[in-house]
Amino acid sequence: MKAITLLQPQKIVFGTGCIQTLTEDYQKLGLQRLFVLTAPPIRPLIEESLATLKATGISIEVFQDIVAEPTVNDFKAIIEVARRFKADSVVGIGGGSVLDVTKLVAAFIDSDQQVEDCFGTGFIRKKGLWFACLPTTAGTGSEVSPNAILLDERDHLKKGIVSPYLIADAAYVDPKLTWTVPAKVTADTGMDALTHCIEAYTNKFAHPSVDIYALKGIQLIAAHLERAVKDGKDQEAREALAFGSLYGGLCLGPVNTAAVHALSYPLGGEFHIPHGLSNAILLPSVMKFNMPANIKRHAEVAIALGCEPGANDEETAQRGVDFIYQLAAAVGIPDKLTALGIPQTAVDGMAKAAMQVQRLLKNNPREVTEQDAKAIYNSLY
């Protein structure tokens, strides 16, 4: 069996209402200046917890103006706010963009490195401030991953920074924070989490220690996503999605994603399509492309999705792809790039841009050439 490294937060807390555990834990740390990153819709959900901390004499600065797909310049403006505040700790409470920026603020606030020099894997030189992540969507899994994504304005491409120093000191996964997430965001982020699990299981570097997370995540999300989209207050569905997303996040560090994510980056970078939606629309097409490379694994994905076995692995695997098409349609994901306002004339440029994401393409079970990328994009018109 090949070697694998599993890096996770020192503490992971899961459960409805567990934000209270954060306030209790934080008071024991002896830290005094907390920089909180969040978003306006989340603010009412966390006011009580912030008030509890303030009552103990802790200084808190809240930054809530993070845009959906933050750029390098957005990040630089935010970190200056944190530096002026003289933060000694950072907490992110929000979706993937909020959590990614949280990690980077903690890592770079006292560093002489520039964030744009650290795109790729392993370039951050040292551990930064103590930080914790609380996801408010069941999607990116960023709360437990070593990855952070920013949009690099220089070439309109989303890029990843991967480092063990971007793993949170603590992650608190409170499904209650997802109850108010709108149906569309629930659908997009849920499909993103499902993509993490499927890409981890069918990945060239798949590993038994990660397979258990991937398969369980696939099962939970496939069985509960449509329910949560239709009724955001369905507590059982919300908890299942939060667990599925957490499992997907635990796959990201040791195995990571592959061609779906690589091909989605140009959609976000050039056309500002939300990350989860980009993945969702590409997922079934890329699965279909990848199937011949490891048909047995794709058949096992289909079974985890809840499909009945076919006469052989090929038939079972195809049922899995069909299920993804049906699930995407059921939760409102379009099946054409034109529905996202992306003209077919953009395909050549997107394919060229996707080829730059070799960090992820190298994980794909089947080699993806620029022509292959064009064919996958063109199949969505």
Side-chain angles (χ1 to χ4, degrees), residues 86 114 138 183 212 299 312 359:
K86 296 183 169 55
Q114 295 298 312
I212 53 173
N312 50 44
R359 175 178 70 86

Side-chain angles (χ1 to χ4, degrees), residues 299-321:
E300 289 162 352
V301 165
I303 299 299
L305 289 167
C307 302
E308 288 293 322
N312 50 44
D313 283 346
E314 285 84 357
E315 188 177 321
T316 306
Q318 183 58 49
R319 287 182 180 182
V321 174

Side-chain angles (χ1 to χ4, degrees), residues 66-139:
I66 295 177
V67 295
E69 306 286 335
T71 66
V72 169
N73 285 332
D74 291 333
F75 167 72
K76 288 184 174 180
I78 295 165
I79 201 167
E80 284 310 311
V81 177
R83 283 171 176 156
R84 285 196 297 272
F85 174 64
K86 296 183 169 55
D88 64 7
S89 47
V90 189
V91 167
I93 309 171
S97 296
V98 169
L99 300 187
D100 284 2
V101 171
T102 297
K103 297 164 152 189
L104 295 171
V105 167
F108 285 91
I109 190 168
D110 291 327
S111 172
D112 59 1
Q113 290 185 278
Q114 295 298 312
V115 72
E116 61 267 38
D117 295 333
C118 293
F119 288 122
T121 301
F123 294 111
I124 298 177
R125 288 197 292 261
K126 65 184 177 82
K127 170 90 170 79
L129 302 182
W130 180 94
F131 75 97
C133 291
L134 290 82
T136 59
T137 61

